[in-house]
Amino acid sequence: MNRRDFLRITGSTMASTLYAGQGLGQDTAPAKRPNILWITCEDTSPHLGCFGCAEARTPNLDRLAAEGARYTNAFSVSGVCAPSRSCLITGMYPITLATCHMRCSHVPPPPVRCFPAYLRDAGYYCTNNVKTDYQFPVPEDAWDECSKKAHWRNRRDPDQPFFSVFNFTVTHESQIGERDEQSDRFQKELPPSEWHDPDKATPPPYYPNTPEMRKYWAHYFDLVTLMDRQAGEILDQLAEDGLADNTLVFFYGDHGVGLPRAKRWMYDSGLQVPLILRWPGHIAPGTATDRLVSFLDFAPTILSAANVPIPKHMQGAAFLGEQEGKPHDYICGARDRMDERYDIIRAVRDKRFKYIRNYEPYRPYDQYLTYCEGWAVMKEMRRVEAAGQLNDAQKLFFRDVKPLEEFYDTSSDPHEVNSLVDDPKFAEDLARLRKHMDNWLETARDLGFVPEIELDDWLASGGKSRPAPGKTCAAPDGTAATTVFGRSVSDWVAQLNGADTLTRLRAIKTLGLLGPDMAPLLVNALQDGDSAVAFWATVSLGYAPPASPGAIEALAKALDRPEISAKLAAAGALCRLGKTDLGLPVALDAMKHENPFARLFAVEILEQVGPKDPAVKEALEIATKDDNDYVTRIAKHALA
């Protein structure tokens, strides 16, 4: 794999977002460098007492905030752990590194390293206790120790500066869902007298306010209290060792609360995290800042605080230390495949407004995710929805299709339930965030638009060997001036006819959202030399009925393409358009393909057709034993 070429391709146009080290201090002796302690927790929004949450009981973290600073605008880059952690450890966007899909494995290209490696080069002792989940194997140079026993106390030289990470999992989604099953454990760790009262719980307005929902919302706060105790133990150890005065302490959550419509989503409930920093002599006690901070900034900030040069490939900006960068005007986030379900969503936020772009609006918010559906909260939401008892805010999550765009004023609508896309009073702000999103997707070199079926091959070639475009596309009659995402069809067509692969993929994906009016252009794009462009054109045709005889004929012809991605996309489109006799044989055959993501795409087609067809039922039953767990999950759900 030509990693150097890949980095050049994915990084050469990111100059406007990269931050290079500047103004390094002269005194770089290791003994003068601060110790650094990271305390992280799972699935936790800013639901702490020090962030003004009345339901929280978090005395240890409240004390930490009183001794340091709260960051009230801190955000993950993804609503789920693994992509977020790939960003934290590298200082780069998951969409740039191809670590954007949940539970993938793409090793970053040189010279990208896990940032503790730079600290180790500078003399730091680096430990991780214990979770990694970076979306790639942990490199040997990342940590001195990575285990359940990893601790700064294990270093041989007590004067050696350290960077130590402690990850607490007690607040994870699974712990919320296992409340009743683990009641004995919780009684030991948190006496019932300290449990939060469900009758006083106040779930967000997008959840049904039922006794069952209140029980689990209260239990989440029980877990936050337990996590606070664990954090307090580590802080006490730091004080016992006499290290508190020369240690920069970070506390943060890896993304928002582990409940539906929060975790995995682009709303603040999924992206916003608590962030507290304490650094005696550098951060004034009891302060708060509304500076926009992204997980992208954590790695460069740690290097800056340690007086270690920030590598130029990092895409964030330090917010402390000698190399502190300019504050962000915007922060960005992305959603791609979450477990077994795809859904391309991008988000941009400033201090007030949130803009969300749904690139797959035909996929409902409530796609069946096996892991989520197993927990009581999602079951309760399903029950209340089936009973017709949801109010308007709660119904939003269960719409059959998503809007192309969402736009929220988070100052007046912190729960993001009233979209202002069509409100002329906010047209200028909407246009401003749209423009920033377009610029971000271009400079970050968003790999989320490369079909995952092709992604490994794409990375292996560095994107250089993509075939030339097919014949030039033109805007269908009467559509040239039509706008989508604030830009005309003519503008998007010009990008589709360009030379840059990733730009072309975003253009064809965007044009395909306009429905039947784009059918002539999409049919033309089925013949494109780049199979990824043909893939998205084909997918879009499947969601743009009624299809003309010419479209059906073109899709049938696309079944003969040699690339499995475009061939499968055509099969799926034909099945969706009622031509199962044409598409289903290709999907059934693909269930034997060596590419697991080809099988994942194919099993979605089988799920759509349904197990009443004997051949489909047989293939689904075989797929329940597939070595790709995500294929297995969809097969089991389809059979059920």
Side-chain angles (χ1 to χ4, degrees):
M1 183 176 293
N2 191 332
R3 293 295 191 180
R4 190 173 303 276
D5 286 342
F6 167 68
L7 182 65
R8 177 179 57 80
I9 290 168
T10 59
S12 62
T13 61
M14 295 189 298
S16 65
T17 61
L18 299 183
Y19 177 72
Q22 60 179 14
L24 293 178
Q26 297 302 308
D27 186 357
T28 60
K32 299 296 184 181
R33 288 173 168 161
N35 304 308
I36 303 166
L37 170 63
W38 264 14
I39 301 174
T40 77
C41 64
E42 306 257 357
D43 302 18
T44 303
S45 296
H47 293 138
L48 311 178
C50 54
F51 281 86
C53 183
E55 294 178 78
R57 299 171 193 158
T58 51
N60 294 295
L61 294 173
D62 294 349
R63 182 170 62 253
L64 182 69
E67 297 167 349
R70 290 178 294 113
Y71 285 76
T72 59
N73 275 323
F75 297 88
S76 173
V77 294
S78 176
V80 74
C81 58
S84 298
R85 288 172 181 267
S86 76
C87 174
L88 286 166
I89 203 67
T90 63
M92 298 187 70
Y93 282 115
I95 60 172
T96 302
L97 294 178
T99 54
C100 48
H101 299 294
M102 186 63 177
R103 296 283 180 266
C104 62
S105 183
H106 292 120
V107 178
V112 179
R113 303 168 73 190
C114 294
F115 80 84
Y118 302 111
L119 294 173
R120 293 184 69 199
D121 289 347
Y124 272 77
Y125 181 76
C126 297
T127 67
N128 181 60
N129 187 334
V130 59
K131 186 171 181 176
T132 52
D133 215 3
Y134 304 146
Q135 303 273 54
F136 51 84
V138 181
E140 292 184 2
D141 66 351
W143 302 104
D144 288 284
E145 185 179 6
C146 183
S147 72
K148 292 181 179 180
K149 297 182 179 180
H151 202 292
W152 71 77
R153 287 176 171 174
N154 297 337
R155 69 199 194 284
R156 295 180 180 179
D157 180 0
D159 293 326
Q160 182 181 10
F162 62 81
F163 171 57
S164 287
V165 179
F166 293 86
N167 296 271
F168 298 132
T169 61
V170 69
T171 46
H172 188 264
E173 173 183 17
S174 59
Q175 305 303 302
I176 300 173
E178 293 180 353
R179 179 191 187 279
D180 295 331
E181 292 83 348
Q182 297 196 7
S183 60
D184 291 342
R185 171 200 165 195
F186 289 121
Q187 287 191 38
K188 292 178 182 177
E189 298 185 15
L190 189 68
S193 61
E194 296 187 33
W195 290 5
H196 292 75
D197 185 354
D199 291 337
K200 297 179 181 178
T202 55
Y206 42 80
Y207 294 137
N209 193 3
T210 64
E212 186 79 350
M213 187 68 235
R214 290 194 296 272
K215 179 175 77 170
Y216 283 91
W217 187 249
H219 181 56
Y220 160 62
F221 281 93
D222 295 339
L223 299 176
V224 171
T225 297
L226 282 174
M227 179 272 296
D228 177 80
R229 290 186 171 191
Q230 294 173 340
E233 291 174 2
I234 298 298
L235 292 170
D236 288 346
Q237 292 173 16
L238 192 72
E240 290 167 7
D241 292 357
L243 298 169
D245 288 344
N246 189 39
T247 299
L248 166 59
V249 176
F250 267 63
F251 167 81
Y252 65 94
D254 65 350
H255 52 75
V257 57
L259 292 172
R261 210 268 187 184
K263 184 175 181 178
R264 302 176 182 87
W265 292 99
M266 295 289 95
Y267 304 110
D268 283 2
S269 54
L271 294 180
Q272 190 169 17
V273 299
L275 175 61
I276 303 171
L277 271 64
R278 184 185 72 187
W279 193 9
H282 298 267
I283 296 175
T287 56
T289 174
D290 67 350
R291 176 173 179 155
L292 283 170
V293 171
S294 166
F295 275 9
L296 203 66
D297 306 324
F298 281 33
T301 297
I302 294 299
L303 297 179
S304 177
N307 213 5
V308 174
I310 299 171
K312 292 183 178 181
H313 65 259
M314 288 188 176
Q315 293 166 295
F319 53 91
L320 285 177
E322 294 291 330
Q323 301 169 79
E324 180 175 343
K326 179 182 177 182
H328 297 298
D329 293 322
Y330 306 91
I331 59 95
C332 306
R335 171 180 170 131
D336 291 276
R337 178 175 53 74
M338 294 291 175
D339 294 343
E340 69 265 36
R341 303 292 182 180
Y342 289 96
D343 200 352
I344 300 176
I345 305 176
R346 300 293 180 259
V348 169
R349 193 193 198 284
D350 63 13
K351 289 184 179 180
R352 178 180 175 184
F353 296 105
K354 165 77 70 60
Y355 172 59
I356 297 174
R357 186 177 290 180
N358 293 307
Y359 279 100
E360 298 190 86
Y362 42 81
R363 294 183 180 272
Y365 295 103
D366 67 327
Q367 286 192 93
Y368 191 97
L369 281 172
T370 301
Y371 187 76
C372 305
E373 299 285 348
W375 304 124
V377 170
M378 194 64 206
K379 291 178 180 178
E380 176 67 358
M381 293 176 69
R382 295 279 188 206
R383 182 193 70 79
V384 180
E385 193 270 338
Q389 297 173 348
L390 297 176
N391 63 30
D392 288 345
Q394 295 154 10
K395 288 178 181 177
L396 295 174
F397 188 70
F398 294 96
R399 288 177 286 185
D400 291 335
V401 296
K402 300 191 292 290
L404 293 185
E405 299 176 288
E406 302 173 53
F407 188 69
Y408 301 101
D409 181 351
T410 64
S411 63
S412 61
D413 179 23
H415 296 294
E416 296 163 284
V417 295
N418 298 303
S419 180
L420 303 171
V421 166
D422 297 321
D423 192 328
K425 292 187 297 184
F426 299 98
E428 290 186 7
D429 292 300
L430 174 59
R432 177 171 53 84
L433 268 68
R434 279 172 172 161
K435 181 178 180 181
H436 183 80
M437 177 172 287
D438 288 338
N439 291 339
W440 167 55
L441 297 179
E442 187 70 26
T443 57
R445 307 295 291 156
D446 189 341
L447 293 174
F449 290 85
V450 178
E452 197 172 15
I453 300 173
E454 298 189 17
L455 190 52
D456 284 341
D457 290 340
W458 202 98
L459 295 174
S461 69
K464 293 192 302 181
S465 60
R466 307 306 296 181
K471 60 183 179 181
T472 301
C473 290
D477 292 344
T479 66
T482 303
T483 61
V484 57
F485 303 148
R487 300 167 70 170
S488 70
V489 165
S490 293
D491 191 3
W492 291 112
V493 170
Q495 293 197 19
L496 175 60
N497 290 327
D500 181 75
T501 296
L502 295 179
T503 302
R504 299 188 70 226
L505 292 183
R506 290 195 305 277
I508 190 64
K509 191 73 187 77
T510 300
L511 290 165
L513 297 173
L514 291 175
D517 288 346
M518 286 294 113
L521 179 145
L522 297 173
V523 167
N524 189 44
L526 294 188
Q527 306 168 50
D528 198 274
D530 191 325
S531 58
V533 172
F535 173 91
W536 285 123
T538 306
V539 168
S540 298
L541 277 173
Y543 287 95
S548 67
I552 298 295
E553 182 180 348
L555 287 168
K557 186 176 180 180
L559 294 174
D560 296 328
R561 288 192 66 129
E563 311 95 344
I564 186 61
S565 58
K567 184 192 302 262
L568 263 177
L574 286 165
C575 288
R576 183 168 291 278
L577 295 171
K579 299 297 181 180
T580 306
D581 57 319
L582 297 175
L584 184 56
V586 173
L588 289 168
D589 187 60
M591 291 303 298
K592 304 170 188 175
H593 202 280
E594 64 180 3
N595 186 321
F597 302 110
R599 301 197 304 275
L600 184 59
F601 194 95
V603 79
E604 273 199 313
I605 299 174
L606 301 188
E607 178 186 42
Q608 170 195 318
V609 173
K612 290 183 179 181
D613 183 300
V616 171
K617 182 177 181 181
E618 181 183 5
L620 289 171
E621 289 172 344
I622 294 172
T624 61
K625 299 178 178 62
D626 196 279
D627 59 10
N628 182 326
D629 183 51
Y630 295 146
V631 173
T632 296
R633 292 181 186 185
I634 292 181
K636 289 180 177 179
H637 178 243
L639 289 168

